Amino acid sequence: IPTEISVPEDFFLTPEVLLTLSFLYSIDNPRRDVYLAGLMCSPIFNFEGSELAEMRLSEEAETLYESLVKYTESHPDYKKGIEFLQRLNYYRSVAEGAPVDRLIYRIYHETGLLSLASRQGGRKNLMFLYDHARSFESGAFRGLYNFLTYIDNIISGKISAEFDERRAGSESNAVKLITAHSSKGLEYP
C-alpha cells in the first residue's frame, strides 16, 4: 500500500532545494561566497574545502569567485576550476534569455540533479520548486533575480501562506500517516 508520511520540515532546508538555490544564486551573482562555496562543494562539482582554502589564501581577492578566476589564470592546468567556471558562465548566459523555469529544467537534466535527489521526497521537492518557478514566470515579474527575491521573501516570512498551502496539498493516491496531534481538525476523503 503506498504511504505518505507527513513530516514537518522546512522545504528550503532540504539538501536538494539548498543545492538548487545555491546554483541559482551563484548564477545570478557568483560573488556571493556562501552560495558559490555550497555549489562548488556539492556532489555535482566535488571541490574539497582544502581546495577552496588554497584558492582564497593564494590569491588576493575580495570574493571566492574572484579568487577562483585568478587561481585558474595562474594555474592553467587546474582543469576542475576551469571547467567549473565554464559551466557557471554557460548557465549565466542561459539565464539571460530564458525564463527561470526553463533554467531550472536545464540544470536538473544537464547536471543530473534529479538523480542526486535520492531520498523519498527529494525529487518531489525539486519538482515542486520547478512548478513554483513555472507559476512565477506566468505572473507579472519574471527572470532569475526577481524569482530569487520572491524566494527570499518566502524564506523571511513576508510571503508564506500561498506557498505553504500549495506545498501541503498532496495529489498522491496514498495512505497518509500523521500523528494524532497533527490530525486535529483535519478531514480526508
Side-chain angles (χ1 to χ4, degrees), residues 16 113-123:
E16 61 280 349
L113 187 55
L114 279 175
S115 62
L116 283 175
S118 59
R119 61 183 205 92
Q120 186 175 2
R123 288 182 186 205

Side-chain angles (χ1 to χ4, degrees), residues 9-14 17 21 104 108 124-136 147-170:
E9 67 177 344
D10 191 344
F11 174 74
F12 293 106
L13 293 179
T14 60
V17 173
L21 291 177
I104 290 172
Y108 286 177
K124 186 176 178 182
N125 286 339
L126 289 177
M127 293 313 297
F128 178 75
L129 183 65
Y130 170 74
D131 288 340
H132 209 67
R134 286 182 62 196
S135 297
F136 178 82
F147 180 70
L148 292 174
T149 301
Y150 175 67
I151 294 296
D152 285 340
N153 287 334
I154 292 171
I155 292 170
S156 68
K158 294 177 185 173
I159 306 171
S160 64
E162 176 246 335
F163 184 84
D164 290 339
E165 287 171 15
R166 280 192 58 207
R167 183 166 178 259
S170 175

